[in-house]
Amino acid sequence: MSSLPPFSSSPSSPPASEWPESRTLTVWDKGIERGFRGVAIACVIGVGLLLGCIVFFIAIDALPAIQSFGVSFIIRQSWNPVENVYGAGAVIYGTLASSAIALLIAVPLGVGTAIFLSEDIIPASIGAGLVFLVELLAAIPSVVYGLWGIFVLIPAYQPIGQWLHEHLSWIPLFSSPPIGPGLLPAGMVLAIMILPIITAISRDSFAALPIELREAAMSVGASRWRTIVSILIPSAFSGIVGSIMLALGRALGETMAVTMIIGNVNRVSWSVLAPTNTIASLLANQFAEARDLQISALMYAALILVMMTLAVNIMAQLIVSRVRVIDKL
């Protein structure tokens, strides 16, 4: 067997002995470095100032309502513009309940779809088409989702809701008869809207895992599903949590689609078949005609929504940081 010929570099690649020596930065290069660093710092500070200004001006406009109603505004359910009595308890409940229903539906579907698309369960050509379809869901305007919910989802869901009420009305979740718009259809539409976020970020998290994890698990006799459940999901857990929290932030602030199908009734009900309201829907419906104290009350509700989304993002960051610390240990 003949020996291999010695390696020779291509004409366009000079030998290592002829490579130019690393040079020190010139005054011009140092100026560019300082300028780039300054621009980056300015951008970071600008984003922080922008967020601070938004919160500050909302809080200023909300100050009369804060002085009038105090902390009881958060738990009071009455919203009566005629008597100037306002409370955000019902809309806070509707915001949290609709988002919770959306997560209960979207998280299993999103993570399962991400696993299906990232683990070569189907041919790559079909997988690419499915990825495009999932991402297309994010490009559909929210008003289209609302129209779809009114003309397609609610008529299809009505017989199911009626059956649940007739046979399971002893359960508080189904204690009220379905009238069409309500909490459950709003949560279902929200689930479809946040599904692309969970799927895309979770899929990227699975794709970023080193191939050695899969090979090591299968080399000791683990099946594909055992590898996914025991190795891949725990390894990508921080990315999955991040996707869920981002999706939750989207669900909390969604306006148009929810406004069209949630019923817009400022009332707390244990039944998922009953109509209710959200903070974003309340703002969309009443801000145009609001006056004086009502505007301040709406800004107070908007401030609460901002604080809720900020708390969600802080919680996501803490969870992700905690998971990374545990992984390093």
Side-chain angles (χ1 to χ4, degrees):
M1 182 176 181
S2 61
S3 60
L4 294 174
F7 172 79
S8 60
S9 59
S10 61
S12 60
S13 300
S17 60
E18 299 181 9
W19 288 355
E21 296 181 358
S22 61
R23 60 184 177 86
T24 58
L25 295 177
T26 63
V27 176
W28 174 256
D29 293 331
K30 290 180 180 179
I32 293 178
E33 289 285 340
R34 293 193 190 98
F36 178 78
R37 186 172 179 228
V39 170
I41 293 175
C43 291
V44 172
I45 295 175
V47 171
L49 289 176
L50 179 61
L51 177 61
C53 288
I54 291 173
V55 175
F56 174 76
F57 286 111
I58 291 177
I60 290 296
D61 290 337
L63 191 58
I66 295 175
Q67 294 173 342
S68 298
F69 306 112
V71 181
S72 62
F73 180 83
I74 300 176
I75 58 176
R76 183 184 291 119
Q77 299 181 25
S78 175
W79 189 277
N80 191 338
V82 176
E83 299 180 1
N84 269 338
V85 176
Y86 303 102
V91 292
I92 291 174
Y93 162 78
T95 302
L96 295 176
S98 60
S99 300
I101 292 174
L103 288 182
L104 287 175
I105 298 172
V107 170
L109 285 176
V111 176
T113 304
I115 294 172
F116 185 77
L117 295 176
S118 63
E119 296 306 311
D120 297 329
I121 298 177
I122 56 174
S125 58
I126 301 177
L130 292 177
V131 170
F132 172 77
L133 291 177
V134 171
E135 293 176 350
L136 186 62
L137 292 175
I140 299 176
S142 60
V143 66
V144 176
Y145 280 111
L147 291 173
W148 176 82
I150 291 173
F151 294 107
V152 178
L153 178 62
I154 290 180
Y157 133 88
Q158 193 77 10
I160 300 175
Q162 191 65 39
W163 185 92
L164 290 173
H165 174 67
E166 291 177 356
H167 295 82
L168 301 174
S169 58
W170 53 275
I171 301 176
L173 289 177
F174 312 112
S175 57
S176 62
I179 61 173
L183 180 60
L184 183 58
M188 294 168 69
V189 169
L190 277 178
I192 299 173
M193 297 180 71
I194 66 176
L195 183 63
I197 299 175
I198 298 176
T199 301
I201 299 178
S202 298
R203 177 175 171 268
D204 290 341
S205 300
F206 285 116
L209 297 177
I211 191 64
E212 289 79 9
L213 285 176
R214 299 169 176 84
E215 294 175 347
M218 293 184 179
S219 66
V220 296
S223 64
R224 170 175 294 192
W225 302 111
R226 184 72 174 177
T227 302
I228 291 173
V229 173
S230 301
I231 305 297
L232 300 185
I233 291 180
S235 299
F237 185 72
S238 60
I240 295 173
V241 170
S243 70
I244 294 172
M245 291 302 176
L246 285 176
L248 177 58
R250 167 72 189 277
L252 289 173
E254 178 53 43
T255 305
M256 186 54 65
V258 176
T259 302
M260 297 172 71
I261 58 178
I262 199 169
N264 302 303
V265 176
N266 295 328
R267 183 180 61 197
V268 174
S269 175
W270 285 105
S271 176
V272 297
L273 305 178
T276 184
N277 207 354
T278 66
I279 297 177
S281 299
L282 179 72
L283 296 175
N285 283 323
Q286 299 197 9
F287 205 88
E289 301 176 355
R291 296 292 182 273
D292 302 327
L293 188 60
Q294 186 179 1
I295 293 179
S296 182
L298 290 172
M299 297 302 286
Y300 194 179
L303 182 63
I304 293 173
L305 182 60
V306 172
M307 293 297 104
M308 289 169 61
T309 54
L310 182 61
V312 167
N313 283 276
I314 293 175
M315 187 185 306
Q317 188 62 41
L318 292 175
I319 294 175
V320 171
S321 300
R322 180 64 177 170
V323 171
R324 287 176 179 173
V325 170
I326 294 175
D327 290 341
K328 291 180 180 179
L329 296 177

